[in-house]
């Protein structure tokens, strides 16, 4: 199964990607997670990505596309993948099509998860993440334990530095200007499926599985 997940920041792409990855037995590939891991390890990639993550802007395409190319060429992607946070603009979507064509495979679907901006802002502002395993929690909808330790791995649960009001505003602007056109791109390819992301996370999962 080869899927891309589209939708505004905070709509639940990562949450669904983890569930879909388990369901289909294929890797979850999140460019945001890859940049955050690189930053935590202070690699050259992470140090380069830092200013973009901090400001809510897109990391330049040559870097991001190269990163995804290397990842998709890994043997663990032979049977499929769930792409989360990529493609983020039409140039990335075109590069992905080219790459998949060169690998002799194609996407099964592009899943567009939508929700109103009030829901998205509420979800982002309450999001908490485990710094070790990336598990996602929410202060109201899926509260982390009071001791701040991840029940899955014991890692520290924190609030992402880019989940602040100012950066969220910029990320939503970038989404509207650059990422929303990707929805039309996949509509044009005839593989776009739209799901109401305001429903409960398990309901959203069932709907996605029934669509692909
Ligand atoms: P994205 O990857 O699209 O930025 P996340 O998957 O990280 O979004 O979800 C953002 C926040 O919303 C997280 O705190 C997550 O726990 C919560 N969340 C995700 N899906 C739902 C849902 N269907 N209902 C309620 N909360 C959700
Ligand atoms: P995310 O975890 O998807 O919310 O992404 C967090 C940040 O990582 C974004 O605001 C960008 O700075 C960067 N990023 C993630 N994915 C991409 C991408 N496909 N292209 C460019 N930048 C990205």
């Amino acid at each position: 199964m080869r899927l891309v997940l589209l939708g505004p920041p905070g709509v639940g792409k990562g949450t669904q990607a983890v569930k879909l990855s388990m369901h289909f037995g294929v890797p979850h590939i999140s460019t945001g997670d890859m940049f955050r891991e690189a930053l935590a390890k202070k690699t050259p990639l992470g140090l380069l990505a830092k200013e973009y993550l901090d400001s809510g802007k897109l990391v330049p395409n040559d870097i991001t596309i190269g990163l995804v190319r290397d990842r998709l060429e890994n043997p663990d992607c032979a049977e499929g993948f769930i792409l989360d946070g990529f493609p983020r603009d039409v140039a990335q979507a075109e590069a992905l099509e080219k790459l998949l064509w060169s690998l002799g495979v194609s996407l099964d679907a592009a899943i567009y998860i939508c929700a109103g901006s009030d829901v998205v802002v509420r979800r982002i502002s309450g999001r908490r993440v485990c710094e070790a395993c990336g598990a996602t929690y929410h202060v109201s909808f899926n509260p982390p334990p009071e001791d701040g330790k991840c029940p899955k791995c014991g890692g520290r649960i924190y609030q992402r530095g880019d989940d602040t009001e100012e950066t969220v505003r910029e990320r939503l602007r970038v989404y509207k200007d650059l990422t929303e056109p990707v929805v039309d791109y996949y509509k044009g390819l005839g593989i776009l499926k739209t799901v109401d992301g305001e429903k409960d996370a398990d309901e959203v999962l069932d709907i996605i599985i029934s669509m692909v």
Side-chain angles (χ1 to χ4, degrees):
M1 181 59 65
R2 295 179 180 86
L3 299 177
V4 304
L5 302 186
L6 303 171
V11 78
K13 299 181 297 297
T15 302
Q16 294 303 322
V18 168
K19 293 173 186 286
L20 288 164
S21 163
M22 275 166 42
H23 180 84
F24 289 114
V26 294
H28 166 204
I29 300 172
S30 156
T31 40
D33 284 351
M34 289 163 92
F35 289 131
R36 280 185 290 278
E37 274 164 32
L39 183 54
K41 289 184 189 148
K42 297 196 166 61
T43 67
L45 171 71
L47 296 174
L48 189 149
K50 184 177 175 1
E51 65 168 289
Y52 300 98
L53 268 73
D54 286 350
S55 62
K57 300 206 183 310
L58 294 187
V59 176
N61 274 354
D62 52 341
I63 295 165
T64 308
I65 291 168
L67 187 71
V68 171
R69 183 181 301 120
D70 289 350
R71 184 65 189 86
L72 291 185
E73 284 172 355
N74 201 294
D76 71 336
C77 293
E79 298 305 318
F81 51 78
I82 311 293
L83 262 177
D84 155 22
F86 183 97
R88 247 349 198 261
D89 67 11
V90 171
Q92 292 185 7
E94 288 170 348
L96 178 62
E97 279 303 297
K98 236 165 117 179
L99 170 61
L100 295 178
W101 186 83
S102 74
L103 295 172
V105 298
S106 57
L107 291 175
D108 292 289
I111 309 292
Y112 175 34
I113 308 175
C114 30
S117 52
D118 51 336
V119 171
V120 161
V121 169
R122 217 177 312 133
R123 286 186 184 172
I124 297 187
S125 53
R127 170 161 57 192
R128 299 292 182 272
V129 183
C130 171
E131 71 180 352
C133 73
T136 303
Y137 302 89
H138 189 283
V139 290
S140 312
F141 309 133
N142 177 19
E146 277 182 16
D147 66 3
K149 286 195 181 139
C150 177
K152 292 181 182 148
C153 76
R156 186 180 73 95
I157 294 172
Y158 78 116
Q159 180 170 28
R160 275 171 49 176
D162 61 349
D163 280 350
T164 55
E165 200 184 322
E166 193 188 341
T167 314
V168 167
R169 217 177 299 126
E170 175 62 8
R171 285 160 62 205
L172 289 171
R173 193 192 63 74
V174 167
Y175 173 76
K176 199 149 191 33
D177 290 352
L178 299 176
T179 313
E180 244 176 29
V182 177
V183 173
D184 280 336
Y185 176 85
Y186 284 119
K187 200 185 280 175
L189 293 187
I191 57 167
L192 186 78
K193 312 267 179 189
T194 303
V195 57
D196 175 5
E198 294 198 8
K199 295 179 189 294
D200 172 83
D202 286 327
E203 240 182 291
V204 177
L205 175 70
D206 289 343
I207 295 170
I208 295 175
I209 290 170
S210 72
M211 282 172 159
V212 296

